[in-house]
Structure formats: structure tokens, C-alpha cells
Amino acid sequence: MQKILMGNDAIAWGLINSGVEFASGYPGTPSSEILASFQKIRDSLGLQAYAEWATNEKVGFEVAYAASMSGRRACATMKQVGLNVASDALMSAAYIGNKGGFLLVCADDPGFYSSQTEQDSRSFAKFARIPVLDPSTPQEAYTMVKKGLELSEFFETPVMLRSTMRVSHSREICEIDEPSFEREKKEAGFERDIKRWAAVPREGRLRQGIEMLERIESLKAYNWKEFIEPLASKLTKKPTLILASGVAYVYAKEAVEEQNLEADVLKIHLPYPLPSRRLEELFEGYERVIVFEESYPCMEEQLNAPNLHGKLTHEVSEIDELGKKHLLDTLAKLGITQGSNPYVGTRYEKELPKRPPNLCPGCPHRDMFYAITKVFKKKKSLFPSDIGCYTLGLNQGAIDTVLCMGGSISVASGLSLANPDKAIVATIGDSTFVHGGIPPLINAVYQKHRFVLVVLDNSVVAMTGRQSTPEGSPDVDILKIIQGCGAEAIEYRYTPKLKESVNFFKQVKARYEESDKPIVVVVRQFCVLDKERAKLHLPKEFATVDKDKCVACDHCLTEYKCPSMSYGEDGKVEVDPFLCAGCGACLDGLCPTDAFTLISKGAKA
């Protein structure tokens, strides 16, 4: 049957139709929709498959991998920086292998669109010595899920499906199988085999390492016979051969057809492991071979030929998303195309002004950052923060460092030691705290590092689509976890009354000045996009500006940064009624001249 599917939805359908029984992961753009879609499809079809949002990627990987150890088909989902967290488990799993098919779906983000680093997960697959599939389209993503699980079961090894932002978030008419519930299910259950599942260094792991190397050679032969040879037999031996995988293949194919170039394009489905010797023999019939891939030279590093061109020869873009513009630049540089790149220098008559990312109107994070910087002066304080939508506190000058998930606490420890004359106030979300914040907090308590940690607890993973978190469960309480770590914990329930928040942090500052260890503040709040919870907390107090009182001092626009506020044509601040969420925070002492006034309560005017 045919469906218009986003790439991540196509992957979810592939998992369902391939009989995956266990799925686990941690949300992160561009991967988040995979598990969410899997859950929706499962529920709509009445299946028994298990799916969970784990506390972090390592946990998600291990839960799913244990199911595959028991003979069940399983999948773990994450984005590329999440793979860093799961890498410890991945490296060992690559040695041990699995019984049921185990697919690691990792969505990369070339171009840093929603990530702190640009990483190529194919290089992690090469590092772990597991095969990796690289789809170019949603249709291929669907097909490769099934192929990956078959590969995994046949070779008894984890297989990575590496998607990218352009594959995960593009849409295509996909041909997918009709859901079938008569699929033959293998007998599953964990079979005790201590020499395999609990192999210890040196002898046990050495044996598995030798088996891994043998498996890689078998996978190279499989790659040539199954994927490469059928396509190579159709090449016409033009002067140029383009080797491409993933989205780069689509751009290369388009460029060759649009420019009518004398070039063959060979698609690589499985970029690791490559049958290098067979490919290098193929290259001998060409004047030049160009490798196009995102983001690292994963394929190029496996090849060696005098006519090879790519990132390692500095002729292909080495950073950022590999768009058609970059590809055409390379072809022009090598003299394959004549004339200027049609994508360079294009300008539009009316360029839209750039709008920096901002916290949502009515977001409680904004009030907390305002109160923190009001009490802990910027010249006398340092503000490490973390990964989440609250990172947009950068716009308020309330964040000085962003490293990685959970890193705000470790960085706060280091800053407190290196800058004893500064107050250190760190911020972190509830999901991020559970994900990676507990070990560094225990370390800070044990080492008596002195700082304030503010946990912004809205009980959802707000940035990636409001997925559930452990804190959203009645069985898990961050306050008790913090107390169990040995830290002093203070609870504050958010109110849109700015003066109350400022006064609260004055009390926190006084306590901090007396303390010799971390003080943790848990702010109980909500996500303004969670409509059911938000309507219980927003007072629906809508504001306007008294133009006679506004002196354009810029305080509200630089220190508070609500998106509904801007300068009007008269040079005075105004509130956009379509953006205002009715939090009423600006009515409570934000303006030095009290220019914000209540226009209506309960509904927009």
C-alpha cells in the first residue's frame, strides 16, 4: 500500500512490519518521531510490541539490546550526540553480538540545525566494527529497516541505520507492506551461555574480537555481492565516477542529470564495511573518482587510489550540510562543469529578517532566568547551563556555557574551583538531570563544590516534542533524588508574579553565601505548550503598554525578551495580542516606569 510518510514515520512502519517487538530510546531532533510514531502505529493496530522512552540513550540501548540477546527483534533510537552516551554499551555489544535482530537507528544532524556538534554516526559504526546502512530517501529508510534486521540476525551483530535530518524530516510517497499479523515468530528466550554473554578479558573478549574481524570480511563480501555488484554492472565507464551515499547520492544524481555530465553515479547502501579491493579495481577504468558523503570521510578513509577525490584531498566540503551547492562547487573545481554555480549569488528582492530562537511567550523559564540574573548580578556571577529549550536563556544573558547533557553540573563544579570570587548558578531541565545530572551532583556533594543548581522541572522533554519523563511519573521525585545524593534541596512552585520569584532567589542567595556545598533549587513549573497543564497555571492576564509611561529604556526587550514585545513605529514598546499568552508576568514590576497595564483578564480582548 502507498502512504505519504515522513522519513521517521517510514522507519517506524519498517520496524512494525519487520516484527520488532521491543523499541527503546531517548528523544532528540531529528530522531524523536521514530519511537513516537512506532507507539502510535502499534496502538492503532492493537499490537503487543513494547516501546519506552528511557532515561538516557545508554539505558535505552541496553534495554533493547537485552531483548535481542533473548532472541527478539529490537530497536534503539537516538540522535548522533545521544550515540556518545550509548557508545560504552555499543562497543561491547559489537563484540558479543545478538540472537534476535538488533537495529540501532541513529539520526544525524549535518549542519548543526539542532545539535551542539556535527557528527557522523557511520564513523562510530566503523569504530565499533558494525555494519551501517545509509538511506537516501524515506522509501529507502523503510526498506533498509527490514534489510538491517535480516543482516543483524544472519551475522548475529548489531546493525546501524544512519538517517540524517533531510531523510528523517522529508516526505515521500512510500510503498509499504500491508501490516501482517500472521508472521512466523521464532521461539524466544534467553539461553544461558556464559562464554558468550559474560565473556571477560582477556581470553573471552580476544576470541570475540577475532570473530568480529572474520565477520567484517564476510560483510565486505556480502556488501559487494548484495549491493554494489548489481549496480556496478550497469555503469557505462564514463570519464568520471561519483561514489555517493545517503542524501549526497540524491544531490549527485540530480546534478549529473541537470548538467548532462559525462559521469557515472554509484550508490553505496552500506558505507561500512566496504569491499575496498573490489572497488579500487573498479576505479581503474575512470579518469577520476569523487566521493560525496555526509559528514565525515567514512567511505573515503577505506579507499586508496591515485584518482580519488574527496574530503581528504580538500576538494569536497568538509563541514556543514552537503547541499547541491557544495557538490557543484566540487565539480567546477575539478573542471567537470563549466561556468558559475547557479546556486551561488542568488538574492531575493525581499529578504526576510532573521529571527533568533526564543523561549515561547508565557514560558516559566524566562521568569526564572530574569529572577536569577536580577539577584545574581552578571558581573559577579557565572551561569553554566545545559541542553534543552531553556538553553534559549542565552538571549537573556543568563547562560555562559553549554557543553553537553548533564554537563552544567560538572562545569559548575569546575567553575566554582577556578573562580572562587564568582557566584556560580547552574540551570538544568528535569529530563536532562535524570539523563546525566545525577553522577556529577553526587561528585559535587562528595567533593564539596560550592554552587547553586536550579532544576527547571516541567516534567516533559519540552524541546523535542514534550515526550514523557520519569519526573512525570508519581513514582519518581527529583526532590527526593537530590536529597538522596546528599545535597540541600529547596522547592519552589512557579508563579507568574515576578516579584515573588525575585524575592525567592534573594533567599537562595543568602543561603548560598552561608553554605559550603551545592544547593539545589527545584522549580515546579509547566510547559506552556502543554495546553492542559498550562491553562491551569496561566492567569489569562493580557497586557498592553501605556505609551505615556514607556520611556523606551529597553529593559523589557533586553532583560526579559518576551517575543510578544517589540518596538512600534512610534519608538515605544508594544505587545502583540496574537503572541501574548496571558501570563501577566510583565504586570508585576518588570517595567521601571510601570508602563505595562492590564487590558483584559480571562480572555483576549
Side-chain angles (χ1 to χ4, degrees):
M1 63 179 178
Q2 289 187 335
K3 282 182 174 289
I4 299 175
L5 296 176
M6 187 168 71
N8 283 345
D9 295 331
I11 292 171
W13 271 105
L15 296 172
I16 291 288
N17 285 343
S18 297
V20 167
E21 298 178 77
F22 281 74
S24 184
Y26 187 83
T29 305
S31 74
S32 304
E33 298 88 356
I34 299 170
L35 190 57
S37 184
F38 181 89
Q39 291 171 324
K40 290 178 183 176
I41 299 169
R42 173 203 63 187
D43 293 344
S44 68
L45 297 176
L47 301 179
Q48 297 300 312
Y50 178 80
E52 69 171 24
W53 289 115
T55 52
N56 66 26
E57 293 85 358
K58 182 176 184 290
V59 173
F61 182 100
E62 291 164 351
V63 169
Y65 177 63
S68 74
M69 291 167 67
S70 302
R72 310 222 180 243
R73 283 194 166 184
C75 171
T77 70
M78 60 199 67
K79 67 182 292 182
Q80 88 280 7
V81 286
L83 184 54
N84 299 338
V85 181
S87 61
D88 188 11
L90 168 62
M91 293 300 166
S92 288
Y95 277 82
I96 299 168
N98 44 270
K99 283 291 188 182
F102 180 61
L103 195 68
L104 169 60
V105 182
C106 195
D108 287 3
D109 187 22
F112 308 86
Y113 286 98
S114 58
S115 307
Q116 62 269 36
T117 61
E118 184 186 59
Q119 296 172 208
D120 189 335
S121 296
R122 299 175 310 155
S123 295
F124 242 128
K126 187 167 69 168
F127 186 19
R129 291 174 169 164
I130 64 169
V132 54
L133 292 159
D134 198 4
S136 302
T137 64
Q139 177 68 67
E140 280 192 359
Y142 171 81
T143 304
M144 286 185 177
V145 168
K146 183 177 181 180
K147 178 61 70 175
L149 287 162
E150 291 172 351
L151 254 176
S152 177
E153 287 181 349
F154 183 80
F155 288 98
E156 293 195 6
T157 181
V159 171
M160 180 187 292
L161 177 71
R162 194 286 291 253
S163 180
T164 60
M165 184 268 290
R166 295 296 175 189
V167 174
S168 286
H169 287 166
S170 63
R171 281 181 164 79
E172 182 183 16
I173 299 174
C174 296
E175 187 70 42
I176 68 173
D177 301 320
E178 293 281 351
S180 173
F181 308 108
E182 299 178 359
R183 185 184 298 108
E184 181 183 349
K185 291 194 182 247
K186 297 179 181 178
E187 286 294 323
F190 183 78
E191 296 179 3
R192 183 172 283 108
D193 184 353
I194 294 174
K195 289 184 178 180
R196 179 179 188 179
W197 306 122
V200 294
R202 159 175 151 83
E203 279 71 18
R205 280 299 160 91
L206 178 61
R207 173 179 51 79
Q208 290 179 336
I210 294 170
E211 291 172 354
M212 177 193 289
L213 294 175
E214 293 171 348
R215 184 163 59 242
I216 288 295
E217 293 305 312
S218 298
L219 281 162
K220 288 179 182 179
Y222 177 91
N223 194 359
W224 174 261
K225 184 177 180 181
E226 181 75 13
F227 293 119
I228 299 174
E229 188 176 32
L231 298 177
S233 64
K234 299 177 183 178
L235 298 177
T236 56
K237 296 297 180 181
K238 293 176 181 176
T240 299
L241 173 64
I242 294 175
L243 209 68
S245 73
V247 172
Y249 168 77
V250 178
Y251 293 144
K253 194 74 174 171
E254 286 181 358
V256 168
E257 292 174 356
E258 290 173 1
Q259 304 276 329
N260 196 26
L261 302 179
E262 287 292 307
D264 287 332
V265 183
L266 178 60
K267 176 172 176 53
I268 301 298
H269 297 78
L270 196 75
Y272 179 82
L274 288 179
S276 303
R277 183 180 58 80
R278 303 296 296 268
L279 281 170
E280 288 159 7
E281 291 173 356
L282 182 67
F283 296 166
E284 293 174 2
Y286 291 89
E287 292 179 17
R288 66 185 74 82
V289 178
I290 311 170
V291 182
F292 288 117
E293 53 186 328
E294 285 185 329
S295 302
Y296 297 174
C298 175
M299 296 191 298
E300 190 181 355
E301 286 174 344
Q302 300 173 67
L303 301 168
N304 183 22
N307 56 347
L308 195 65
H309 304 268
K311 296 175 184 290
L312 297 179
T313 59
H314 308 295
E315 291 163 309
V316 176
S317 174
E318 297 173 65
I319 194 169
D320 202 1
E321 187 180 15
L322 182 68
K324 192 187 290 186
K325 177 183 81 69
H326 301 102
L327 191 142
L328 289 172
D329 285 343
T330 296
L331 296 178
K333 192 183 299 182
L334 293 172
I336 298 170
T337 58
Q338 302 296 323
S340 60
N341 186 336
Y343 296 94
V344 175
T346 303
R347 292 289 180 269
Y348 298 96
E349 291 183 8
K350 293 183 179 180
E351 292 280 355
L352 292 174
K354 292 185 178 180
R355 176 182 176 273
N358 208 336
L359 292 167
C360 300
C363 177
H365 294 336
R366 180 179 292 104
D367 293 15
M368 294 302 101
F369 284 126
Y370 178 82
I372 289 168
T373 54
K374 191 80 171 172
V375 174
F376 294 88
K377 303 300 182 182
K378 295 178 185 178
K379 289 184 179 180
K380 297 181 179 180
S381 307
L382 294 174
F383 307 114
S385 193
D386 229 292
I387 309 298
C389 56
Y390 51 88
T391 309
L392 297 174
L394 285 162
N395 293 333
Q396 293 171 262
I399 291 175
D400 290 316
T401 70
V402 178
L403 182 62
C404 61
M405 295 284 281
S408 62
I409 303 175
S410 305
V411 170
S413 289
L415 291 177
S416 70
L417 296 171
N419 302 271
D421 59 329
K422 300 277 190 179
I424 310 298
V425 185
T427 46
I428 192 170
D430 59 291
S431 176
T432 309
F433 175 77
V434 175
H435 177 285
I438 298 171
L441 179 59
I442 293 172
N443 181 70
V445 171
Y446 171 63
Q447 302 290 355
K448 293 191 181 299
H449 297 151
R450 186 170 167 270
F451 57 83
V452 175
L453 172 65
V454 181
V455 181
L456 302 166
D457 174 20
N458 55 20
S459 299
V460 292
V461 192
M463 182 173 66
T464 56
R466 303 186 304 284
Q467 291 85 5
S468 60
T469 71
E471 179 63 3
S473 161
D475 301 319
V476 179
D477 187 346
I478 281 181
L479 196 69
K480 292 179 180 179
I481 293 173
I482 292 164
Q483 291 167 341
C485 292
E488 179 179 348
I490 305 171
E491 186 176 36
Y492 177 65
R493 295 201 172 272
Y494 167 78
T495 169
K497 301 298 181 183
L498 273 182
K499 289 180 181 177
E500 290 188 25
S501 295
V502 171
N503 289 334
F504 169 76
F505 277 102
K506 286 179 179 178
Q507 297 170 25
V508 171
K509 184 179 181 182
R511 183 70 195 95
Y512 165 71
E513 290 172 348
E514 299 171 354
S515 179
D516 64 347
K517 63 179 183 178
I519 294 175
V520 185
V521 175
V522 179
V523 182
R524 307 292 195 183
Q525 49 186 68
F526 62 93
C527 175
V528 74
L529 297 180
D530 186 346
K531 300 303 182 184
E532 291 303 312
R533 289 187 63 207
K535 70 182 181 182
L536 300 176
H537 297 280
L538 290 174
K540 294 295 180 183
E541 293 178 352
F542 297 95
T544 188
V545 177
D546 185 334
K547 298 301 179 74
D548 293 332
K549 290 184 177 181
C550 178
V551 295
C553 67
D554 217 29
H555 179 77
C556 58
L557 295 180
T558 58
E559 301 296 320
Y560 192 62
K561 290 269 189 176
C562 178
S564 66
M565 301 174 187
S566 62
Y567 281 119
E569 294 181 358
D570 59 359
K572 300 295 182 75
V573 173
E574 60 186 19
V575 177
D576 186 335
F578 294 102
L579 292 177
C580 180
C583 69
C586 60
L587 298 168
D588 193 52
L590 173 64
C591 179
T593 61
D594 290 328
F596 291 100
T597 59
L598 183 66
I599 186 174
S600 66
K601 185 166 183 174
K604 289 191 178 185

